């Protein structure tokens, strides 16, 4: 039976090629994901090991007291100072200490544009610490020298190239305030993963770094190197005895490495799981292709199997032969898939880094688990898919089959299948209708939605043979009317074996259902995000600061004096607590705000707002029981002794909020405020709206503006950005964005992830296309004699080609109809879970995209039929009629 299996594999190379390709693609995804995860984790560990090389003890400042009022922005107090560093250096067993100062510096490129603006976590800045040789071994010099004075700095090579700077150039940058300038005296190299993945690195001498980010003599970290033979943990205990107390922690190098390793594993686990989900989808779709292929191969080898049974082969031997054939196919395809997966793993890192993932460079790492898991998955999936066809083969009677090549499935089997499909579909639909009533995307609700989606898809797959008859008959009317005999034959061929047609269409249906659901949900979410990004905004530009610091209080006045500006509305916010309700009140100049924002007042007007007089949103009015003419005793401000954190995003909210922790005490005060208006709530105005003088002293941005909304004069908006930047000092930290830029920035990460998911799901569609090609090719072989007879009674070669093409198109359109319909239903039902995070979310059908999917199905049908149609048309008429 082993020899028989080997002979069958070699005898049907062309027919099994498509099946092998489906297994190959699915396994490639699995292996690529596993290798990518191992490679990324190893690269992070290597980068971490390099940064910890020689570090026996790390002393870090954590949870230091907030910056006292009156201190310069950007500077922070720490308990790590030069005196502590000297004490640690004097301990026995200490070889050296390296005190460092860390911060962020946003650079302006030579063309004036910010480099990595708004992405401060990757705009690294630290001190260049000279050793006895006058150099810093952590940052090897590539060109020039290290910074040694206040007016000097150094950049890493990639940053200098990106920004267009050379030695001797004057570099503009900002840390947490106005733009500064220093001379570039050195270019270094670094293996810091954040920098190699697209971040920037700026180096200052120690005194300058302390002035910018700390205070003279203070540091963020003291790295301790031990002498040979010194016990790390014992040295760590000694260091702890010198620490001043709260806010400082000493960790041994081994413990720090273990912490970072655990963090790396956690960070990479989520991405790995996501990619494996899509690999599973690809394999799931491949199951239909594999099962379909083996079912048809067995039907074609019915006489061969019957003869084997007649000469003594048992049912178990027949099953074993088919499963061995599947295992051999899975083994070969899995090996090729693993090789392709190495290419996928190599391409994933640069692809994800374009989205700002910040993955470090590193060699490809292949752990034993990756190839073993890939081979096991490929073989197991292929064998499982071939199990039912093998049982069918074992049931072939030695004599009865000799007169029939292709029998229709028993009616009773289809009845059982239809009942099961109906129950699964009904259960899935009921669960999804329940999901449509939910409004929060908690983990249990998401799991319920996933369960409902899976049940619905499985139910439609099981019901596909039943659904194929009416839908294909409907399509057949069109093909018969437009293409005559060829169209009618195509319809009959598709209806001849409902199970085979359903299995072929189901693979395409799954791919299109997922892509359609993703498209409808993504399009609806993008529409909601577009609306939220500019909700209530009439301004042409929004000016913000990309760090925790807000804009100067006179920033709006400076912008208002720029030629071409019609109005500049200052915006800030503060906490408002009244009648047991907490809200956010926006402070502004009502007159300028009226030109820069759109508010729909239900009572009162914007002109009624003044000192001590506020307007409130309809939602807040209802919650707190407020009405026009009433007076409230409110507590303004949200300051505490340790700082404030408003949690409002500065990049997407068009009206208010920098959402940064300022680390200052804004203070609180009780004030009596009169309610003079009620408006429909919008992001531009939050819960309440008052004057700047009432709100600014208690604002969450330390008595600074959170943003300025700028309305341009008619026809003056183009080019106004540069003038606004110049009026405010042109700091690299300034963000002057138009409405289009706000929308783009708001949707950027979401769009990137969406496009990546499209690419991943595209793999399932490719496998589905292979399934259509494979089914048609084998169907042509199955109908060789029939095609010969059709040719004999007058159907020419072009008619045969047209018949096969139309059959392919009909099957593809059937799969598309099921997939698109199911995808729309799942997206609609699951969309309710988005309403909490996106109040403006509503299901919107992207008719253009849905039309493209239908056209795509048509194209798939035509392309998939090219080879089978050509093969059918080239059959020799006489030889075909003589075939068994």
């Amino acid at each position: 039976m082993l020899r028989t299996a080997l002979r069958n594999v070699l005898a049907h190379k062309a027919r099994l090629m498509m099946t092998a390709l489906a297994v190959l693609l699915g396994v490639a995804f699995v292996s690529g994901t596993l290798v990518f995860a191992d490679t990324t984790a190893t690269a992070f560990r290597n980068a971490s090991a390099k940064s910890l090389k020689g570090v026996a003890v790390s002393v870090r400042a954590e949870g230091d007291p907030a910056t006292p009022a009156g201190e310069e922005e950007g500077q922070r107090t720490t308990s790590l100072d030069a005196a502590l560093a000297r004490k640690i250096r004097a301990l026995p067993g200490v070889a050296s200490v390296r005190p460092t100062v860390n911060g962020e510096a946003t650079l302006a490129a030579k063309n004036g544009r910010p480099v990595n603006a708004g992405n401060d976590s990757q705009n690294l800045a630290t001190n260049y610490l000279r050793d006895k040789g006058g150099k810093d071994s952590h940052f090897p010099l590539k060109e020039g020298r290290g910074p040694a004075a206040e007016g000097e700095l150094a950049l890493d090579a990639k940053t200098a190239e990106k920004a267009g700077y050379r030695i001797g150039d004057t570099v503009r940058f900002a840390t947490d305030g106005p733009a500064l300038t220093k001379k570039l005296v050195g270019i270094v190299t670094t293996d810091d993963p954040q920098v190699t993945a697209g971040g920037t690195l700026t180096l200052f001498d120690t005194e300058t770094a302390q002035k910018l980010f700390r205070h003279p003599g203070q540091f963020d970290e003291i790295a301790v190197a031990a002498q040979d033979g010194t016990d790390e943990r014992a040295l760590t205990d000694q260091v702890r005895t010198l620490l001043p107390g709260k806010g400082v922690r000493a960790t041994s190098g081994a413990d720090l490495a273990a912490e970072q390793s655990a963090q790396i594993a956690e960070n990479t686990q989520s991405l790995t799981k996501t990619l494996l989900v899509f690999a599973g989808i690809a394999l799931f779709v491949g199951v239909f292709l594999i099962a379909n292929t083996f079912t048809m191969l067995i039907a074609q080898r019915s006489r061969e199997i019957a003869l084997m049974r007649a000469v003594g082969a048992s049912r178990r031997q027949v099953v074993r032969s088919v499963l061995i054939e599947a295992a051999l196919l899975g083994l070969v395809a899995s090996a090729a898939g693993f090789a392709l997966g190495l290419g996928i793993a190599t391409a994933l890192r640069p692809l994800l880094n374009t989205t700002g993932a910040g993955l470090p460079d590193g060699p490809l790492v292949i752990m034993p688990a990756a190839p073993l898991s890939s081979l096991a998955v490929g073989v197991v999936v292929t064998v499982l898919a071939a199990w039912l066809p093998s049982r069918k083969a074992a049931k072939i009677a030695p004599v009865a089959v000799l007169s029939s090549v292709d029998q229709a499935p028993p009616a009773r089997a289809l009845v059982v299948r239809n009942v099961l499909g109906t129950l699964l579909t009904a259960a899935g639909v009921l669960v999804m209708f329940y999901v449509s009533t939910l409004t929060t995307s908690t983990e249990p609700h998401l799991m319920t939605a996933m369960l409902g989606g899976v049940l619905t898809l499985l139910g439609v797959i099981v019901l596909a043979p039943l659904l194929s008859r009416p839908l294909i008959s409907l399509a057949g009317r069109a093909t018969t009317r437009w293409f005559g005999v060829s169209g009618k034959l195509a319809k009959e061929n598709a209806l001849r074996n409902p199970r085979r047609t359903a299995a072929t269409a189901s693979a395409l249906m799954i791919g299109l259902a997922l892509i359609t659901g993703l498209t409808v949900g993504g399009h609806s979410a993008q529409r909601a995000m577009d609306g939220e990004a500019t909700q209530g905004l009439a301004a042409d530009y929004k000016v913000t600061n990309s760090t925790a610091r807000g804009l100067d209080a006179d920033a709006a006045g400076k912008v208002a004096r720029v030629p071409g500006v019609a109005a500049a509305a200052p915006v800030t916010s503060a906490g408002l607590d009244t009648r047991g309700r907490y809200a956010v009140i926006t402070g502004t100049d009502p007159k300028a705000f009226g030109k820069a924002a759109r508010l729909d007042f239900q009572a009162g007007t914007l002109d009624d707002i003044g000192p001590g007089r506020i307007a409130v949103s309809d939602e807040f009015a209802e919650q707190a029981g407020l009405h026009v003419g009433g007076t409230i005793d409110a507590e303004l401000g949200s300051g505490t002794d340790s700082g404030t954190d408003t949690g409002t995003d500065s990049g997407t909210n068009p009206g208010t909020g920098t959402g940064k922790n300022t680390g200052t005490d804004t203070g609180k005060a009780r004030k009596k405020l009169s309610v003079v208006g009620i408006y429909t709530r919008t992001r531009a105005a939050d819960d309440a709206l008052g004057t700047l003088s009432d709100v600014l002293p208690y604002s969450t941005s330390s008595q600074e503006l959170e943003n300025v909304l700028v309305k341009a004069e008619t026809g003056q908006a183009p080019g106004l950005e540069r003038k606004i930047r110049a009026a405010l000092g042109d700091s690299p930290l300034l963000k002057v964005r138009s409405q289009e830029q706000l929308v783009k920035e708001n949707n950027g990460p979401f769009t990137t992830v969406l496009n990546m998911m499209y690419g991943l799901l595209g793999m399932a569609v490719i496998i589905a296309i292979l399934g259509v090609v494979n089914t048609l090719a084998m169907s042509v072989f199955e109908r060789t004699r029939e095609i010969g007879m059709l040719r004999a009674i007058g159907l020419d070669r072009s008619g045969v080609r047209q018949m096969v093409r139309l059959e392919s198109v009909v099957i593809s359109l059937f799969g598309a109809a099921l997939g698109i319909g199911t995808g729309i239903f799942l997206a609609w039902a699951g969309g309710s879970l988005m309403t909490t995070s996106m109040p403006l979310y509503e299901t919107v059908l992207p008719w253009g995209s849905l039309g493209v999917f239908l056209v795509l199905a048509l194209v798939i049908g035509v392309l998939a039929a090219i080879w089978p149609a050509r093969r059918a048309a080239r059959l020799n008429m006489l030889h075909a009629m003589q075939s068994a």
Side-chain angles (χ1 to χ4, degrees):
M1 298 309 293
L2 177 61
R3 287 198 300 270
T4 301
L6 288 170
R7 180 180 61 80
N8 286 331
V9 170
L10 296 175
H12 303 291
K13 294 188 289 291
R15 301 178 205 171
L16 293 175
M17 186 182 302
M18 298 294 178
T19 305
L21 195 53
V23 179
L24 182 151
L25 291 175
V27 170
F29 239 132
V30 174
S31 63
T33 300
L34 294 175
V35 172
F36 168 75
D38 292 336
T39 298
T40 302
T42 302
F44 271 118
R45 280 193 292 269
N46 290 342
S48 174
K50 288 180 181 178
S51 66
L52 295 177
K53 185 178 181 181
V55 178
V57 184
S58 173
V59 182
R60 295 185 176 184
E62 296 183 348
D64 285 325
T67 305
E71 290 193 356
E72 186 177 344
E73 286 291 345
Q75 292 184 326
R76 304 176 303 278
T77 302
T78 175
S79 302
L80 302 185
D81 54 21
L84 178 62
R86 287 193 296 269
K87 291 178 182 178
I88 295 174
R89 178 67 185 87
L91 287 174
V94 173
S96 65
V97 296
R98 179 183 175 84
T100 58
V101 182
N102 301 317
E104 294 91 28
T106 302
L107 299 171
K110 204 165 185 179
N111 61 8
R113 295 288 181 180
V115 180
N116 288 353
N119 195 5
D120 304 309
S121 63
Q122 290 189 349
N123 293 333
L124 309 181
T126 188
N127 58 318
Y128 186 87
L129 195 62
R130 296 172 181 271
D131 54 24
K132 294 180 180 180
K135 296 181 180 180
D136 190 337
S137 58
H138 278 68
F139 303 108
L141 282 168
K142 181 179 180 182
E143 189 179 347
R145 60 178 176 80
E150 185 174 355
E152 298 176 347
L153 58 74
L155 301 174
D156 75 283
K158 287 187 176 181
T159 299
E161 181 182 0
K162 185 190 304 183
Y165 286 121
R166 295 182 179 180
I167 296 292
D169 287 343
T170 298
V171 178
R172 292 180 64 252
F173 70 96
T175 57
D176 196 23
L180 304 172
T181 58
K182 296 187 186 298
K183 183 180 179 181
L184 179 62
V185 297
I187 294 178
V188 304
T189 60
T190 180
D191 51 17
D192 188 301
Q194 288 182 288
V195 179
T196 58
T200 64
L201 174 65
T202 308
L203 301 173
F204 306 96
D205 66 280
T206 300
E207 291 74 14
T208 301
Q210 289 172 335
K211 183 181 293 186
L212 289 171
F213 307 117
R214 286 291 184 183
H215 287 276
Q218 295 184 346
F219 304 95
D220 291 282
E221 179 182 10
I222 300 176
V224 183
Q227 297 175 354
D228 292 340
T230 302
D231 182 78
E232 278 190 8
R233 297 195 181 278
L235 182 58
T236 303
D237 292 337
Q238 293 182 56
V239 170
R240 285 173 180 157
T241 62
L242 301 177
L243 300 184
K246 294 182 179 180
V248 181
R249 183 171 73 108
T251 309
S252 69
D255 290 343
L256 195 59
E259 289 176 10
Q260 292 189 1
S261 179
Q263 185 63 43
I264 289 166
E266 183 179 347
N267 291 342
T268 57
Q269 186 179 33
S270 177
L271 178 60
T272 302
K273 286 182 178 180
T274 301
L275 293 173
L276 285 175
V277 166
F278 287 98
I281 292 172
L283 286 170
F284 181 63
V285 174
V287 165
F288 290 90
L289 172 55
I290 298 166
N292 217 17
T293 299
F294 275 95
T295 298
M296 297 182 70
L297 282 174
I298 286 166
Q300 293 170 15
R301 300 207 308 260
S302 296
R303 290 179 175 173
E304 174 188 329
I305 294 172
L307 288 173
M308 289 172 58
R309 293 290 314 283
V311 298
S314 66
R315 290 188 173 185
R316 182 174 298 177
Q317 287 178 312
V318 173
V319 170
R320 194 180 304 157
S321 174
V322 176
L323 294 183
I324 290 173
E325 185 177 343
L328 291 173
L329 175 67
L331 186 63
V332 173
S334 298
F338 178 76
L340 179 60
L342 298 181
I344 292 176
T346 303
L348 274 175
R349 186 193 63 80
L351 176 65
L352 291 174
N353 274 346
T354 61
T355 68
L359 303 177
D361 294 323
L364 207 62
V365 177
I366 305 175
M367 298 290 189
L372 293 176
S373 300
S374 302
L375 291 175
V377 167
V379 172
V380 169
V381 166
T382 309
V383 170
L384 288 177
W387 181 67
L388 286 177
S390 70
R391 287 175 56 84
K392 181 180 178 182
K395 294 178 181 178
I396 294 177
V399 177
V401 78
L402 294 178
S403 59
S404 177
V405 176
D406 185 22
Q407 292 181 331
R412 181 177 175 276
L414 285 178
V415 170
V416 172
R417 176 170 180 159
N418 293 340
V419 171
L420 177 62
T422 301
L423 293 176
L424 284 173
T425 305
V429 169
L430 288 175
V431 171
M432 292 310 296
F433 271 120
Y434 166 71
V435 169
S436 69
T437 65
L438 304 174
T439 56
T440 56
S441 56
T442 60
E443 185 173 348
H445 291 166
L446 290 174
M447 295 302 295
T448 302
M450 290 179 63
L451 173 63
V454 170
L455 288 175
T456 303
L457 276 174
L458 288 176
V460 173
I461 290 169
V462 176
L463 275 181
L466 178 65
L467 299 173
S468 66
R469 183 164 294 279
L471 292 178
I472 289 179
S473 296
L474 182 62
R477 293 183 181 179
T479 58
T480 302
R481 174 172 295 183
W482 293 340
F483 301 100
V485 174
S486 296
K488 184 175 182 179
L489 290 172
K491 180 193 73 172
E492 296 300 329
N493 290 334
L495 291 174
R496 179 176 303 179
N497 192 327
R499 280 183 171 176
R500 184 176 66 206
T501 297
T504 305
S506 293
L508 185 60
M509 183 270 288
I510 296 170
L512 283 179
L514 295 174
I515 288 182
T516 298
L518 182 65
T519 301
V520 174
H523 179 74
S524 302
Q526 282 188 320
R527 287 282 294 270
M529 291 169 69
D530 290 351
E532 290 176 4
T534 58
Q535 186 185 25
L537 189 65
D540 296 292
Y541 291 97
K542 176 186 175 184
V543 184
T544 58
N545 196 318
S546 61
T547 67
R549 179 176 178 175
L551 300 170
D552 293 337
D554 62 346
K558 293 178 181 179
V559 174
R561 291 190 289 272
V562 172
V565 171
V571 177
T572 192
S573 65
L576 184 148
D577 194 351
T578 182
R579 302 185 182 183
R581 299 284 180 177
Y582 180 81
V584 177
I585 181 170
T586 299
T588 186
D589 174 2
K591 184 177 180 181
F593 194 75
K595 297 179 180 179
R598 292 186 293 265
L599 289 183
D600 180 17
F601 273 83
Q602 301 173 9
T605 66
L606 199 60
D607 295 334
D608 296 330
I609 298 175
R613 303 191 304 275
I614 67 171
V616 296
S617 71
D618 51 355
E619 294 180 7
F620 183 55
E622 182 178 354
Q623 293 171 0
L626 304 178
H627 57 85
V628 173
T631 301
I632 61 174
D633 184 14
E635 186 177 59
L636 287 177
S638 54
T640 65
D641 293 336
S642 59
T644 62
D645 191 343
T646 65
T648 304
D649 187 283
S650 65
T652 60
N653 191 328
T656 64
T658 58
K660 305 287 188 176
N661 192 324
T662 66
T664 61
D665 186 356
T666 61
K668 291 186 178 182
R670 300 201 71 85
K671 297 190 68 172
K672 287 191 177 296
L673 300 171
S674 300
V675 178
V676 296
I678 296 178
Y679 57 86
T680 302
R681 192 185 191 282
T682 173
R683 292 184 71 185
D686 285 327
D687 303 304
L689 186 65
T691 62
L692 192 66
S693 59
D694 277 342
V695 178
L696 188 60
Y698 318 102
S699 69
T700 55
S701 57
S702 305
Q703 300 185 27
E704 293 175 328
L705 302 181
E706 294 174 355
N707 60 73
V708 175
L709 302 180
V710 183
K711 181 65 176 178
E713 294 177 353
T714 305
Q716 298 298 311
L720 197 58
E721 175 191 356
R722 295 300 306 166
K723 296 178 182 178
I724 295 173
R725 295 187 66 89
L728 296 178
D730 201 16
S731 168
L733 299 176
L734 278 176
K735 299 175 73 173
V736 183
R737 294 162 295 169
S738 64
Q739 290 201 26
E740 293 77 14
Q741 290 170 326
L742 283 171
V743 170
K744 184 177 180 181
E745 183 177 301
N746 195 36
N747 294 353
F750 179 78
T751 302
T752 301
V753 172
L754 203 63
N755 289 336
M756 186 175 73
M757 294 176 71
Y758 279 135
L760 296 173
L761 287 176
M763 185 71 71
V765 176
I766 292 174
I767 295 175
I769 295 172
L770 295 175
V772 178
V773 175
N774 210 26
T775 299
L776 287 173
M778 299 181 74
S779 179
V780 167
F781 178 85
E782 194 176 89
R783 300 200 302 269
T784 298
R785 188 171 185 178
E786 174 188 324
I787 293 172
M789 294 182 64
L790 290 172
R791 290 289 315 284
I793 61 176
L795 189 65
D796 57 13
R797 293 181 186 271
S798 63
V800 172
R801 283 194 294 268
Q802 189 176 76
M803 176 186 70
V804 176
R805 279 197 299 266
L806 290 174
E807 180 182 355
S808 175
V809 168
V810 166
I811 293 176
S812 297
L813 290 177
F814 168 57
L818 287 184
I820 293 173
T822 304
I824 291 174
F825 170 72
L826 295 179
W828 167 80
S832 61
L833 300 179
M834 303 287 288
T835 55
T836 300
S837 57
M838 295 182 185
L840 298 182
Y841 182 92
E842 61 179 12
T843 302
V844 180
L845 296 183
W847 294 108
S849 298
L850 298 180
V852 168
F853 294 158
L854 281 175
V855 173
L856 178 64
L858 183 65
V859 172
I860 288 173
V862 173
L863 294 179
I866 291 176
W867 177 52
R870 187 165 177 242
R871 184 177 182 276
R874 294 178 63 183
L875 287 176
N876 182 281
M877 187 187 310
L878 295 178
H879 290 170
M881 293 179 64
Q882 292 173 358
S883 66

